[in-house]
Amino acid sequence: MYRLNDSDDNFAASGPRLYLILNIKLMNEKIRLRFAPSPTGPLHIGGVRTALYNYLFVKKMGGTLILRIEDTDQERYIAGAESYIIESLKWLGIEFDEGPGIGGDVGPYRQSERKSLYGKYALQLVESGHAYYAFDTKEELDAIRTEYEGRKETFRYDGITRQQLKNSLTLPEEAVKIRLESGAPYTIRLKVPRDEEVLINDVVRGEVVFQTNELDDRILLKGDGMPTYHLANIVDDHLMKISHVVRGEEWLPSTAHHILLYRFLSWEDTMPQFAHLPLILRPNGKGKLSKRDGAKFGMPVFPISWEGKNAEDSFEGFREFGFMPEAVLNFLAFLGWNPGTEQEIFSLSELAEAFTLDRISKAGARFDFEKASWFNQQYLIQTDNAELGQLLKPFAEEKGYEVSDEYLTAVAGMMKERVNTLPEIVETGYYFFEPIREYEEKMIRKKWNPDRQTALLNLNQQLENLPEYQAEKLEASTKEFLEANSLGFGDVFPFYRIALSGTTKGPALFEMMEALGTEEVKKRLLTAFPAFDEVFTKKINS
RNA sequence: GUUCCUGUGGACGAAUUGGUUAAGUCGUUGCUCUUUCACAGCAGAGAUUGCGGGUUCGAGCCCCGUCGGGAAUACCA
């Protein structure tokens, strides 16, 4: 189904024996994907999308999703990054079947804990003539690089230059032996063959060809005995029986090396299928989205907040911005993929149902925060008010507001279609929780007259005496009052509204009144009138 | 510089695989609804499919060239 190269005609012609072999092959090719982040800091939104696509494909195909921590670089390792990754994905509802803290048959799932495994394969490659020891120090190589740069050239440790460098290919056998035995630091490099082509069959990009002459002899095992990404990745993907590698496009240029590694380790027949995802670009289209862009464009680029060493290194997440996880997921899913139908609101399980690798687009997608906000609003609107009230709670508490769950539910219901995020409810709707900060003058200036006050107070009196202080009853009673006093809606409404909320915008007036309650309404009316009069006097005098 | 990827309205992107007037969504403008704002509904503006050639009765789709954007080019992943 997913291996197109297994031709059906061959199969028909070759009888039961091949059938058996193919069958075994298929059984071994269970769908197993991995998400393999590096704990070098918070997981940015591009990484989250990679995790999401891996998850979706696994769910769609009924496979297994593995979390593998690629912590082979002890210099860039950051404590807390791993738990950040796990917490982020948990918040979003992306769950793993195997991984650190979860278990599984092919662990451990942290590369640092698998350190002893990799050397063997590096050695095997040396023995088979596909890799070699290199003794050049970092400083020496840096010097060569700057020298090349001076000539406006780029240095590459490859099939040509390695002949002039210090390695087991150029040094006498005896000298190599002595160096190795003396414990002198060395690396193991891949010996890339000359004059060959490496073909990558990428699920999203089709066939991509690399000339080996353009490839460098990449380091496989570092001086500290740790493998580089390239070695560790291939060894682990093989040992963990990974069937598909779904990762960012930035890995495409390295994939030729990876394929060579599979070939030299004789694992090419069980090599995973590759799918390289398009990059997520900056809102202005210039370059790939980076962690600094959050501050630059005033939007989150991380799933949840990250507390770094300083303010520069700390980031606010989508969660803290007030986004719902479902909305983030939905938005992210559409960044580089689309179902080809007109549906755009998808739950996680609906996404999994609709997801296919062949509908992933090739070109980089810009990160459009406005679209993300729109998705969030859609989810806000479709979420039950009581549930929203609960989600709103932390944001209200943060502001020091102490109100009941019922009140929060009511406010959420009134405000949800007027905002994009949760905290906006307590910000633009602050007047539900504290006194009016400022009255919008324009309407008052235009229409207020101190004698309106009497009518307003009479009306309020009538409303207070209602057996039930409830929106529809309030409205009906108000209508009666207006008719009886031959007044229009416009004569009282704007002032009532501004008195209660300070603004001409906002939810339906009677609903606000119901939520606020008779006491508060009266209080607000009485504090508003003097303010209105003040505006009026100012107008008269000017 | 080199290698590789990529290019459809401002953004995301669809187009039955070569078939006629290039979907839809976001954004934007206006209208309707509404006491306001928003939601919703309706309507409009916005594209010679990066550009230039070629093949073909016919090209967004195939071929060649060209330009732009991006990634990689580390003892980082």
Side-chain angles (χ1 to χ4, degrees), chain A residues 294-402:
Chain A
K296 192 173 169 190
F297 295 99
M299 64 194 191
V301 294
F302 291 98
I304 63 180
S305 286
W306 169 262
E307 288 297 323
K309 287 190 216 81
N310 48 46
E312 269 271 283
D313 205 40
S314 300
F315 308 99
E316 196 174 7
F318 269 93
R319 182 176 67 185
E320 291 72 16
F321 250 78
F323 276 76
M324 298 178 67
E326 297 86 347
V328 177
L329 246 18
N330 203 152
F331 166 65
L332 245 31
F334 274 71
L335 232 47
W337 174 86
N338 80 86
T341 65
E342 290 188 3
Q343 184 183 347
E344 52 201 335
I345 301 297
F346 282 82
S347 68
L348 189 53
S349 56
E350 285 174 320
L351 282 172
E353 185 59 34
F355 191 77
T356 54
L357 291 179
D358 61 304
R359 293 207 65 89
I360 292 173
S361 45
K362 294 179 174 140
R366 290 193 204 181
F367 186 85
D368 183 2
F369 186 59
E370 278 191 86
K371 186 102 186 200
S373 298
W374 177 80
F375 270 114
N376 199 243
Q377 186 184 43
Q378 294 299 308
Y379 278 88
L380 242 35
I381 291 171
Q382 76 171 39
T383 302
D384 173 74
N385 292 346
E387 199 179 315
L388 273 185
Q390 288 307 303
L391 293 172
L392 198 54
K393 217 171 182 174
F395 295 104
E397 279 166 359
E398 196 183 312
K399 297 242 173 207
Y401 301 147
E402 282 172 34

Side-chain angles (χ1 to χ4, degrees), chain A residues 454-469 473-485 496 513 522:
Chain A
T454 329
L456 243 15
L457 281 173
N458 288 342
L459 168 61
N460 199 243
Q461 183 79 50
Q462 179 179 317
L463 296 178
E464 274 176 358
N465 292 333
L466 245 33
E468 206 185 344
Y469 204 71
K473 305 268 163 50
L474 291 168
E475 184 167 7
S477 181
T478 302
K479 275 180 184 158
E480 281 169 28
F481 176 90
L482 291 177
E483 228 163 278
N485 294 278
Y496 228 124
M513 288 172 73
K522 176 135 197 188

